[in-house]
Amino acid sequence: MAFEMGPETRQVQGMWDISTYRYRMEGGGVRLLTEAMKEKRIKGVRCNECGMVYVPGPTYCRKCFVDIDEVVEVEDRGTVMSYCVELADVRGNPRETPLISAMIELDGADSWFVGAVVGIEPEEASVGMRVKAVWAENPVGSLSDIEYFEVLEE
Amino acid sequence: MRNVAIIGVGYTPVFVSKRKDVNIVEMISESVGAALNNTGLTPDDIQAVTYGNMQTFEGVNLPHLWTSDHMRALNKPTIRISTGGTTGMSTLQAAYYYVASGMYDLVMAVTWEKQSEGDSQVGLSGIVVPEAMTMVQHGMDLFSGKGMGFGGGGSTGAASYQAMSYLHHSGASPEHIDKMAALERSNAALNPYAHLRKKTTVEDVQATPMVAFPLRFGHTCPTSDGATTAIVASEEMVNKLTDGNVAWIVGLGSATSDPCTANFLEGQITDPAEQMPAKIASEKAYKMAGIEDPGRELDMCEMYNGFAHQSLMWLEKLGVCKEGEAHKMLDAGALNIEGEMPTNASGGVFSTNAIGASAMNRPTECALQIMRKIEGGHQIPKKIKKALSHGWGGMFQYVTVMVLADEPVSS
Ligand SMILES: [Zn+2]
C-alpha cells in the first residue's frame, strides 16, 4: 500500500445541543414501581395471556401484543442472571473500589432489575448467586430507595 | 426473484482513526471511485444508489442528499438506511432487493462513517436519552449503580453483561476472549484496509486495562474513518459485463428482538446473550441458499464483533457450531485463516469500525475472498464456495445475515 495521507485540512467546531429537545415519556410502570418503593415493596405488571411479569411494567405485553394492567407484587430478592465488574464510572474515571453491577431476576418477575451487589469481592461473584435488596432507612419513592443488593445465604 | 451478485467493491485507501486530509464527501467519493474503477463501470451505468451511515454520529442530517453528486447519484433514486451497527449490510440488502425484484440491473451501495468528525458516545446516548432521563428523574444514579443505574464504560458496560452471560452458558473462559482478540488483531495486521494492524499475542491483550470485567480495553473495537462501496448486478449484467468472477448473494435474512439492553422503562425481559434474531435470520438465509448443515457447507465466516467475545458467540447463535463449541474450535485452530472455518480473516469489526460501513465490510470481505481478490496477506488458502457474513446492532437486538457463494443457486 503506497497510500499516503494528504496535507491536514482545517477543522471547525460544531454544536448540537440535545438539551433543547423535550421528550414526554409514559412511564406508568416506573410511577407504579416508585410509589410501591415508598413502602419497601416492588410492583410490576402481569400479562394475562402469557403470564409474563414485567418490572417496571409496560402497558402492553411485548410478547403477546395485548394491553396489560394487572398489578402484581414481586419479591425484593432474586437471582443474578449476569453481571459485570465496573472499574470506571460513566465518565470513564477509575473507581476507588470496583463495582459489581448485576442483572437480577427478582423472584416472581421475568424481567431483569439492575443493581449493585455489595459485600463480596468481585472474584466471588457468579451468575446464579442469590441476592436480596438492602433498602434505604427512609424510602422516599425513588429508584434509589434500594441502596444495593447483598448476597443471600439460603 | 432474480439472481444477484456483488461484482465489485471499493474501499477508501485506508481505514484509520482520523482522516485529516479529506472531508466527508471527499472520503465517500474515494470509495465510490474505487468501486467504479474496479468494475470498469461509469456513473451512467449505475441505475440506483442505496446509502448508509449512522444517524447522529457526525451530527449531520440528509447526508445522502448533500453527498449525491460526490457519490455519482445525480438523476437516480437514492435512499438512506440507518439500522445501527447493521447499517452497512442493510444498505447492501436494499441494493439486493432492487435487483432481485427486477426493478434495476446495476445498483451501488455506499456506506461510510467518519467518526473523527463526530462523537459516537453522543450518538449512542441518543438511543436512550429520553428513557434514561426519565429514569434519572425517578432516582436512577448512573455513578453509584443505585436506582437501576448502569453506565460504566458506555457501550462496553452493556456488552460486558452479554459477555458474562455468554461465558456462563457456553463454558468458555475469559482467556478465550483474549485468544480470539489476539487472533483477529493478528489477522488485521495482514489486511491493508484494517485500522488496528498489529500482530498481537494473548499476553498483549491481557496487559490491557480491564474496562468492565470480563471485558478489557483489548477486547473492544476502535472508532474509524472509512467508506465502502459495493456494486451489485443482475445475472444478465454479470454475463454481459464481467468475466464471471463475482460473488453471488445466495441467501439473506434479518430479524429483531425486543431491546435487550437499557430497556429501562418497560422491563428488560431478554438475555442480551440469547440473540434469537441470529437464529431466525440465519435459518432464513440458509434456506434460501440451500444450506442444510452450515458447519460443513460454509467455508468461512465474517462476524460483526464490536467486542472480542462476540465472534465466538455468533458462531453458535448462527448455527455454525453447537452452543458451547466455538471456544473449542478456537482452541483447535479451526478459526485461523488456514483452519477449517476461518473466522474474521479480515480482523473483524473488532479491528476496524467505521460503523456505517462495518456490516458492509463483512459481505465485501466474503465477496473478495470468493473472487480471490484480497489485497494483503489474509487471503484464505482454500477455495471459498460459500461464505457467511453477519451484522449486529440496535439495542443489542438486530441481526442481518448474508450468504455469498461462487455460484448462483439454481432455481
Ligand atoms: Zn403476554
Side-chain angles (χ1 to χ4, degrees):
Chain A
M1 288 293 290
F3 178 78
E4 273 181 37
M5 260 189 252
E8 187 172 330
T9 65
R10 287 194 304 161
Q11 193 170 40
V12 291
Q13 189 74 34
M15 170 101 162
W16 192 348
D17 184 358
I18 60 170
S19 71
T20 59
Y21 289 72
R22 285 172 291 277
Y23 307 103
R24 197 178 297 281
M25 300 301 295
E26 212 292 312
V30 179
R31 289 198 297 276
L32 173 74
L33 175 60
T34 49
E35 279 300 309
M37 288 176 85
K38 278 183 192 165
E39 300 164 4
K40 302 189 183 181
R41 298 162 76 187
I42 300 175
K43 285 182 182 172
V45 181
R46 175 172 21 223
C47 171
N48 281 321
E49 299 269 331
C50 70
M52 202 80 175
V53 174
Y54 299 85
V55 181
T59 55
Y60 69 97
C61 178
R62 304 209 307 273
K63 295 282 183 196
C64 316
F65 310 124
V66 296
D67 287 344
I68 55 175
D69 58 7
E70 187 197 339
V71 174
V72 291
E73 183 168 355
V74 305
E75 301 291 324
D76 67 352
R77 60 187 65 195
T79 306
V80 170
M81 305 304 283
S82 190
Y83 70 95
C84 68
V85 184
E86 295 181 7
L87 296 148
D89 69 20
V90 69
R91 291 205 195 280
N93 299 315
R95 289 183 180 281
E96 274 179 29
T97 51
L99 178 83
I100 302 170
S101 173
M103 297 274 192
I104 301 156
E105 194 171 284
L106 298 173
D107 293 354
D110 294 293
S111 62
W112 293 7
F113 203 91
V114 186
V117 178
V118 171
I120 58 167
E121 294 301 315
E123 302 77 47
E124 300 173 88
S126 65
V127 174
M129 67 182 171
R130 299 278 296 155
V131 293
K132 182 181 188 321
V134 175
W135 292 86
E137 215 166 296
N138 299 304
V140 293
S142 156
L143 293 168
S144 287
D145 288 341
I146 290 183
E147 303 232 302
Y148 52 86
F149 286 80
E150 62 182 12
V151 175
L152 189 59
E153 309 293 343
E154 285 182 327
Chain B
M1 279 190 300
R2 304 195 302 169
N3 289 324
V4 182
I6 295 177
I7 63 169
V9 174
Y11 294 123
T12 41
V14 284
F15 285 72
V16 290
S17 59
K18 289 188 177 76
R19 277 300 298 278
K20 292 180 177 176
D21 57 333
V22 290
N23 64 22
I24 289 174
V25 289
E26 290 166 344
M27 188 188 77
I28 293 169
S29 180
E30 288 178 342
S31 143
V32 172
L36 291 171
N37 265 342
N38 293 341
T39 51
L41 297 174
T42 68
D44 282 346
D45 297 319
I46 305 297
Q47 296 168 310
V49 181
T50 62
Y51 179 101
N53 77 306
M54 290 294 283
Q55 287 160 340
T56 71
F57 273 42
E58 288 80 13
V60 295
N61 277 339
L62 301 180
H64 60 306
L65 295 176
W66 51 256
T67 60
S68 57
D69 38 7
H70 282 81
M71 65 174 186
R72 288 57 149 183
L74 294 180
N75 304 324
K76 306 177 204 307
T78 180
I79 185 171
R80 182 195 187 186
I81 291 174
S82 200
T83 58
T86 50
T87 291
M89 199 186 294
S90 296
T91 305
L92 184 59
Q93 289 185 341
Y96 169 92
Y97 300 147
Y98 267 146
V99 178
S101 71
M103 188 152 182
Y104 298 114
D105 288 295
L106 274 172
V107 177
M108 187 161 70
V110 181
T111 63
W112 66 279
E113 213 69 63
K114 200 160 191 293
Q115 298 210 64
S116 69
E117 295 196 18
D119 187 332
S120 33
Q121 285 297 347
V122 169
L124 290 170
S125 318
I127 304 168
V128 294
V129 156
E131 284 200 274
M133 287 301 118
T134 303
M135 292 295 275
V136 167
Q137 293 294 322
H138 284 90
M140 173 192 268
D141 180 354
L142 290 169
F143 284 88
S144 72
K146 273 207 280 192
M148 297 188 78
F150 72 103
S155 180
T156 308
S160 52
Y161 299 108
Q162 181 189 62
M164 179 59 76
S165 177
Y166 170 68
L167 292 178
H168 176 78
H169 292 288
S170 68
S173 70
E175 288 70 35
H176 286 108
I177 308 179
D178 303 332
K179 201 170 171 181
M180 195 67 209
L183 169 63
E184 294 200 31
R185 282 285 153 79
S186 298
N187 289 350
L190 304 170
N191 178 2
Y193 297 105
H195 176 175
L196 299 178
R197 305 185 57 210
K198 186 167 176 283
K199 193 161 169 31
T200 300
T201 64
V202 169
E203 292 72 26
D204 293 335
V205 176
Q206 289 173 344
T208 64
M210 197 65 83
V211 178
F213 178 81
L215 294 182
R216 295 178 178 280
F217 183 71
H219 296 153
T220 63
C221 59
T223 58
S224 315
D225 288 358
T228 304
T229 298
I231 297 176
V232 299
S234 63
E235 192 160 10
E236 190 190 326
M237 283 297 160
V238 168
N239 294 333
K240 195 172 148 192
L241 298 173
T242 76
D243 59 2
N245 184 23
V246 299
W248 298 93
I249 298 170
V250 294
L252 68 169
S254 42
T256 179
S257 73
D258 52 305
C260 49
T261 182
N263 201 354
F264 302 114
L265 283 178
E266 307 201 312
Q268 180 184 320
I269 52 173
T270 301
D271 182 342
E274 181 187 289
Q275 296 297 324
M276 186 57 78
K279 184 171 157 47
I280 295 167
S282 59
E283 282 178 357
K284 168 77 179 164
Y286 296 148
K287 191 160 182 241
M288 271 180 82
I291 291 174
E292 286 170 5
D293 186 347
R296 279 178 185 279
E297 294 175 60
L298 293 169
D299 299 303
M300 65 170 284
C301 295
E302 271 290 323
M303 306 283 107
Y304 189 106
N305 56 339
F307 306 94
H309 68 282
Q310 292 182 328
S311 300
L312 298 169
M313 185 180 77
W314 297 126
L315 288 171
E316 299 174 7
K317 305 299 173 184
L318 296 165
V320 178
C321 64
K322 291 199 178 73
E323 302 258 342
E325 296 289 323
H327 66 279
K328 295 175 189 166
M329 290 174 75
L330 173 66
D331 285 340
L335 309 185
N336 300 343
I337 290 176
E338 297 81 13
E340 285 164 44
M341 189 61 76
T343 296
N344 290 12
S346 66
V349 179
F350 168 64
S351 303
T352 313
N353 195 12
I355 296 192
S358 286
M360 168 71 104
N361 289 4
R362 315 282 59 84
T364 55
E365 169 73 16
C366 292
L368 295 171
Q369 290 281 359
I370 287 169
M371 294 155 81
R372 302 200 80 73
K373 286 186 174 175
I374 289 290
E375 296 172 56
H378 65 295
Q379 177 76 53
I380 295 166
K382 69 177 175 181
K383 181 173 170 56
I384 305 295
K385 295 166 76 72
K386 287 197 173 72
L388 173 65
S389 62
H390 157 264
W392 170 78
M395 287 166 78
F396 281 47
Q397 86 211 84
Y398 192 56
V399 171
T400 57
V401 170
M402 193 175 270
V403 179
L404 294 113
D406 63 339
E407 288 175 358
V409 174
S410 51
S411 49

